[in-house]
Amino acid sequence: MAIPERVPIAHEPDYRTRTIGTYEDGQFFGSVTATLEDGIGSVDDWYRYKRWYAVLHRFGPEGDHTGSQIWYAGTSEDEEASIVRARACLADWLEALPRRTFGDIAIKLFHVDHEGHTFGLIDESEDYDEDHAELVPDDLGFDPPWDGSYDT
């Protein structure tokens, strides 16, 4: 079974997909997430390189990516404050979406390059030796039966 044209993502109010849904112009996926350069996790001061972001991806009604807002909130040197800032930024962005409703979405593969990092829903089938789409850098994996559930 190939990756579907539109990958369903289930809304889970108390977990990683709590800030997804629809709005006047289509669909959205919001998150607070972090990036880390490959290989940096093994250095003693890795926390200086873990970067926290507020992210809001927007999609049309048919799941086409229409734009992203990505804002750098700080590093894990001050992780709690960085996360608080990112959550506040995301809350403002979500509040500004007209006729916003949280719920399930179905979106197409996409990617955005930002500050040397990839954000998006990408085909990682080769890395998994099976059909697999990964929302990065959030580390949410989607697999058959493509019912909206994900692995972390």
Side-chain angles (χ1 to χ4, degrees):
M1 176 182 287
I3 296 174
E5 181 181 1
R6 296 180 347 151
V7 175
I9 303 175
H11 176 247
E12 292 186 311
D14 298 319
Y15 200 46
R16 304 274 302 274
T17 57
R18 65 182 155 274
T19 50
I20 70 171
T22 60
Y23 74 112
E24 186 174 276
D25 294 332
Q27 305 175 75
F28 65 89
F29 188 109
S31 70
V32 170
T33 190
T35 62
L36 191 61
E37 299 287 333
D38 287 341
I40 292 295
S42 62
V43 300
D44 290 338
D45 61 348
W46 62 268
Y47 50 88
R48 297 178 68 205
Y49 302 96
K50 187 173 182 180
R51 298 172 57 86
W52 288 93
Y53 294 91
V55 178
L56 181 63
H57 300 297
R58 293 174 314 284
F59 309 89
E62 298 303 314
D64 294 300
H65 181 250
T66 60
S68 294
Q69 293 168 267
I70 302 171
W71 181 72
Y72 168 66
T75 70
S76 284
E77 283 184 287
D78 192 7
E79 186 168 286
E80 186 174 327
S82 297
I83 293 171
V84 166
R85 285 190 295 272
R87 285 182 179 155
C89 179
L90 178 59
D92 288 345
W93 290 343
L94 291 171
E95 187 65 30
L97 292 174
R99 297 180 27 207
R100 180 197 71 234
T101 303
F102 295 111
D104 298 348
I105 62 174
I107 60 174
K108 296 179 181 179
L109 298 178
F110 74 101
H111 80 275
V112 175
D113 293 319
H114 182 79
E115 296 182 349
H117 299 280
T118 299
F119 292 76
L121 182 63
I122 59 175
D123 183 346
E124 288 195 352
S125 301
E126 283 189 29
D127 295 338
Y128 284 80
D129 293 326
E130 64 184 5
D131 294 324
H132 180 84
E134 187 84 13
L135 188 73
V136 295
D138 300 83
D139 294 326
L140 300 182
F142 300 89
D143 303 290
W146 308 109
D147 59 2
S149 61
Y150 57 87
D151 290 323
T152 58

